[in-house]
Amino acid sequence: MNCFPENFLWGVACASYQCEGAWDEDGKGRSIWDDFCHDPYAEHIRNGDTGDIACDCYHRFRDDVALMKTLGLKAYRFSVSWPRIIPDGDGAVNEAGLHYYDELVDELLANDIEPLMTLYHWDLPSALQDKGGWLNREIIPAFGRYAEILAEHFKGRVKYFMTINEPQCVTVLGYGIGIHAPGLKLSDEKLAQIYHIFALSHSEAQRRIKAVAGADVQVGIVPCGRLCYPSMNTPENKEAAYRASFNLAKDRWGFTFNIILDSLIFRRYDDSAPDAVRRFAATIPPSEWEQMETPDFIGVNVYSGDEVDCKGDFVRRPAGFPLTANKWFVTPEVMHYGPLNLYRRYGLPLFITENGQSCNDRIFLDGKVHDPERIDFLHRYLRELHKATEDGTPILGYMQWSFLDNFEWSEGYNERFGIVYVDYSTLQRIPKDSAFFYRNIIASNGAVLFE
Ligand code: BGC
């Protein structure tokens, strides 16, 4: 029977700023996304949307967890809002903030849903940004302290911690081209420094989590970047796709997995690094490389990949190539070769921490939300993921992005990624057809994908 590994964790994912709302309740401090959305001088977000209310999960989490239960979900990957826990990032702890996550975690556990906790999914306390954010090395101990507070508080309840979500997106979109908070446009040298600070911050957090929670917990990081798949199933072409995935060439180094993972795991940069990275790397003392911590697992967010031919060139998409609503290419093969190549390079177990697509969903006349494209997407991508497991890639679980439609950063509420529809005028939740399809996948541990 074509099934996924035993105890495979089938889940969904979301992030604090994208779904919680309650942006200024119960002592929460401001985050850079609050500031970015409320910027009086510029409209950074489509339609002027904000995460002030979002899906209101802060108040509705019990109903949401009940719905997760009816769908048979086994895991929920959520993120903690740093300014809810420590309003100024580095000072007093806000007990009300901890209390919210206490209740959420307890509710999940009571329903046999494994909580997967991400510590940083982009909502940095504004007070830390005022001091330079991820460009100021003072953030390393501040992040470590925040991680330790959470590990101490949740030990025995949370087994999987993920330190940082997609440092590449923060760096490139937030500090490089400025379309995400904090909206800066810095040089490549500065971006290289930020990557190094992220790597040191992950390492500091991992050490401190392990020191208080010990062997009971697994600590990972969730990087992102370019993942390639071969045009043809030949050894040469597969090798070319592997090399293209981890190439730090000048025009693409910032959006690669290895810009972070090589630091953490190999304690160096790849030979393909461009001049800006090499210049910065020359200033890193050996004692800093020694501080790097290899994660217990890698979280991978898989959306769209690049096809590479046997010469290593990117293949141009033909007219009419399948697209999602936000115009990302639908490339299921990346779910096979992406994890495979990450495992080949790093030899660590993987979680698929995000995967899904945006659709132009709406409520049909029958009152339901029919989303055949998302069903087809999940079907195709999960069949490819199964190939990766058959090839021996250790995949611990799969988190669909996302449970609810939510705030899609600079695109606001324009993009709907959920398997559950949110009517933003009433905040009512309506499971889409894909939610029931996913329920059947989970119940059969993947067997229905092959019927
Ligand atoms: C991010 C999510 C985002 C999703 C879809 C990932 O890059 O981690 O926060 O909503 O992609 O764009």
Side-chain angles (χ1 to χ4, degrees):
M1 180 113 115
N2 273 319
C3 280
F4 278 77
E6 221 182 313
N7 300 325
F8 192 77
L9 275 181
W10 294 102
V12 285
C14 202
S16 46
Y17 191 74
Q18 296 182 269
C19 71
E20 284 177 1
W23 74 289
D24 63 351
E25 279 184 47
D26 297 337
K28 175 183 164 293
R30 287 181 78 101
S31 84
I32 55 173
W33 274 92
D34 294 319
D35 296 338
F36 201 57
C37 295
H38 288 269
D39 187 343
Y41 302 107
E43 190 167 296
H44 302 288
I45 315 296
R46 193 186 284 271
N47 304 322
D49 290 342
T50 73
D52 292 2
I53 299 172
C55 314
D56 196 32
C57 291
Y58 189 76
H59 299 110
R60 293 167 193 252
F61 69 92
R62 284 189 206 283
D63 291 343
D64 291 336
V65 173
L67 179 54
M68 289 178 196
K69 179 77 179 169
T70 67
L71 296 175
L73 292 168
K74 301 193 183 311
Y76 179 39
R77 173 181 178 238
F78 62 95
S79 80
V80 174
S81 158
W82 187 349
R84 244 187 237 297
I85 306 296
I86 310 173
D88 68 359
D90 203 15
V93 172
N94 174 34
E95 292 300 330
L98 277 175
H99 181 68
Y100 166 66
Y101 296 104
D102 269 334
E103 293 204 307
L104 173 61
V105 166
D106 290 347
E107 193 71 16
L108 290 167
L109 292 173
N111 284 282
D112 293 320
I113 299 172
E114 186 78 48
L116 311 187
M117 184 183 277
T118 304
L119 306 190
Y120 185 73
H121 201 127
W122 307 357
D123 41 358
L124 186 73
S126 305
L128 292 181
Q129 188 61 46
D130 293 344
K131 297 188 213 162
W134 292 103
L135 201 47
N136 178 347
R137 301 171 70 100
E138 285 175 24
I139 203 165
I140 302 165
F143 186 63
R145 172 175 176 259
Y146 163 59
E148 183 177 325
I149 289 167
L150 291 178
E152 180 67 48
H153 194 81
F154 289 99
K155 70 179 175 201
R157 288 185 286 167
V158 173
K159 282 198 221 110
Y160 298 99
F161 289 92
M162 302 175 196
T163 55
I164 300 159
N165 181 72
E166 299 189 345
Q168 289 84 347
C169 278
V170 178
T171 310
V172 174
L173 305 179
Y175 289 81
I177 57 174
I179 61 165
H180 277 190
L184 303 176
K185 294 181 183 168
L186 304 180
S187 65
D188 278 7
E189 274 81 358
K190 290 266 189 273
L191 301 187
Q193 284 178 41
I194 291 174
Y195 280 119
H196 187 60
I197 292 175
F198 268 128
L200 289 168
S201 300
H202 161 85
S203 301
E204 177 71 7
Q206 176 162 328
R207 257 189 307 280
R208 291 174 74 160
I209 294 170
K210 296 270 186 179
V212 298
D216 292 346
V217 299
Q218 298 277 302
V219 183
I221 183 168
V222 184
C224 61
R226 195 186 276 272
L227 290 175
C228 304
Y229 60 91
S231 293
M232 284 179 311
N233 192 2
T234 63
E236 297 74 30
N237 207 155
K238 288 199 245 179
E239 189 59 28
Y242 173 85
R243 276 190 272 106
S245 296
F246 300 107
N247 187 338
L248 293 182
K250 195 171 179 331
D251 56 335
R252 57 180 129 128
W253 68 274
F255 196 64
T256 55
F257 280 84
N258 38 322
I259 192 68
I260 282 283
L261 291 178
D262 280 13
S263 293
L264 296 178
I265 299 164
F266 303 144
R267 301 175 168 195
R268 62 169 170 74
Y269 291 108
D270 188 273
D271 292 341
S272 60
D275 290 348
V277 176
R278 282 165 189 265
R279 273 198 299 277
F280 171 68
T283 69
I284 301 174
S287 59
E288 276 186 8
W289 286 118
E290 281 155 26
Q291 288 169 33
M292 297 296 178
E293 294 284 342
T294 297
D296 296 317
F297 64 87
I298 299 169
V300 197
N301 297 343
V302 181
Y303 289 95
S304 192
D306 292 289
E307 183 179 335
V308 162
D309 66 19
C310 57
K311 293 197 296 274
D313 293 330
F314 295 115
V315 176
R316 187 189 278 270
R317 314 289 183 186
F321 195 90
L323 290 170
T324 63
N326 60 349
K327 310 289 182 218
W328 291 354
F329 293 116
V330 177
T331 60
E333 302 89 336
V334 71
M335 193 59 117
H336 176 195
Y337 288 99
L340 193 80
N341 284 336
L342 282 164
Y343 182 59
R344 170 176 161 192
R345 189 171 181 94
Y346 299 113
L348 293 173
L350 305 163
F351 262 110
I352 305 304
T353 34
E354 291 180 26
N355 170 243
Q357 81 155 95
S358 137
C359 292
N360 290 318
D361 297 314
R362 61 174 187 272
I363 305 172
F364 281 55
L365 283 172
D366 62 4
K368 298 180 179 158
V369 180
H370 304 295
D371 56 343
E373 290 180 8
R374 184 173 290 104
I375 289 177
D376 182 65
F377 180 100
L378 291 177
H379 201 161
R380 289 175 188 270
Y381 274 67
L382 284 169
R383 282 171 76 124
E384 295 291 325
L385 181 62
H386 186 259
K387 289 186 193 162
T389 65
E390 295 277 278
D391 284 347
T393 313
I395 314 271
L396 305 174
Y398 167 91
M399 304 301 126
Q400 192 277 334
W401 184 274
S402 179
F403 181 53
L404 304 175
D405 292 334
N406 60 60
F407 176 82
E408 177 56 17
W409 307 115
S410 52
E411 292 302 318
Y413 298 98
N414 212 42
E415 302 299 337
R416 292 183 177 273
F417 273 90
I419 53 171
V420 175
Y421 183 91
V422 176
D423 176 340
Y424 291 112
S425 60
T426 61
L427 294 169
Q428 189 199 352
R429 279 78 160 130
I430 304 172
K432 304 176 191 177
D433 289 353
S434 59
F436 301 114
F437 178 65
Y438 191 38
R439 180 184 63 187
N440 295 341
I441 293 172
I442 298 170
S444 65
N445 198 24
V448 294
L449 294 163
F450 301 94
E451 280 170 3

